Amino acid sequence: NGIWVWELPSGKLVLRMHPPAVPEAGLWLTPDWGHAVYVPTNRPQVVEVIPLGQTNALRQLEGHREPIRRLGISPDGQWVAASAADDTLRIWSLESGATQAVIPGLPGIKRLEFTEDNGRLLAVGATFLAVYDVGSGQRVRWVDHRPDQARAVFPSANGEQWVTADASNRFRLWSSEGPVQNLGKLDADDDDPV
């Protein structure tokens, strides 16, 4: 019971975690494979950062009052974002553990995605897409949408546009003003949604 991570091709065990991580939040590895970032089941309001190859947490990112539901890590490994059942989104510095931003009033976040330039964070809820500036925590974009319009989201490098995929495998290109164009539907051999 737990999570085990092996290095390939050596087969060396680099991470063994007990208790296991909260499944909805997932397990994230920093881009340099130096640390694992996860939410432990026995402390679901906390994000733990563990150096690979070690068993004890390097730091704990705290502040949520309710269980964490989603995690995201920036492509450069500098920022960690978490949304929780208390309808808040928090952004921390991975290096220092300091809180960068606390954003209230975001119920039901389903996905968190940082842009490639690490400057923006997309939060996808059941009825909205929100884009935040990581440095200030300020909202820079908000788009209302129907619940079936954002099963997955793929931001542009600067967060100015994004592509969503829905449960029917339809793709849409968006900007801050709303949908720009329908990109079509992916025909797949099976009926698995995106």
Side-chain angles (χ1 to χ4, degrees):
N1 191 6
I3 296 175
W4 299 41
V5 178
W6 288 271
E7 180 181 77
L8 296 177
S10 72
K12 177 184 171 189
L13 180 66
V14 293
L15 178 67
R16 181 179 176 190
M17 294 184 345
H18 293 284
V22 172
E24 303 88 40
L27 168 73
W28 293 76
L29 299 176
T30 55
D32 65 358
W33 278 69
H35 300 86
V37 178
Y38 80 107
V39 178
T41 55
N42 65 342
R43 295 193 65 210
Q45 299 91 352
V46 174
V47 177
E48 288 197 347
V49 180
I50 297 180
L52 290 183
Q54 297 184 22
T55 56
N56 295 323
L58 172 67
R59 74 182 39 84
Q60 296 177 345
L61 309 176
E62 299 178 329
H64 282 297
R65 293 184 306 270
E66 298 291 329
I68 293 169
R69 299 291 185 225
R70 299 288 180 261
L71 279 179
I73 189 165
S74 64
D76 65 358
Q78 181 179 353
W79 307 108
V80 174
S83 65
D86 60 10
D87 295 344
T88 61
L89 172 63
R90 288 183 171 269
I91 302 172
W92 295 275
S93 163
L94 184 67
E95 184 177 329
S96 70
T99 299
Q100 179 69 15
V102 179
I103 303 163
L106 295 173
I109 290 178
K110 299 183 176 308
R111 190 163 179 92
L112 296 169
E113 288 288 338
F114 283 89
T115 56
E116 287 179 34
D117 67 1
N118 307 296
R120 304 276 172 95
L121 174 66
L122 272 70
V124 180
T127 60
F128 65 88
L129 296 165
V131 182
Y132 291 89
D133 178 80
V134 173
S136 68
Q138 296 297 308
R139 184 173 73 203
V140 295
R141 305 277 187 270
W142 181 276
V143 177
D144 292 314
H145 67 83
R146 294 190 325 259
D148 67 339
Q149 289 179 325
R151 202 62 187 262
V153 62
F154 309 97
S156 65
N158 63 7
E160 294 297 321
Q161 294 183 321
W162 53 91
V163 172
T164 59
D166 66 22
S168 299
N169 293 332
R170 288 179 301 214
F171 292 83
R172 289 182 177 89
L173 177 64
W174 296 79
S175 75
S176 59
E177 290 79 36
V180 175
Q181 75 181 86
N182 289 320
L183 299 177
K185 184 175 178 179
L186 178 67
D187 292 324
D189 293 330
D190 57 26
D191 292 328
D192 289 338
V194 173

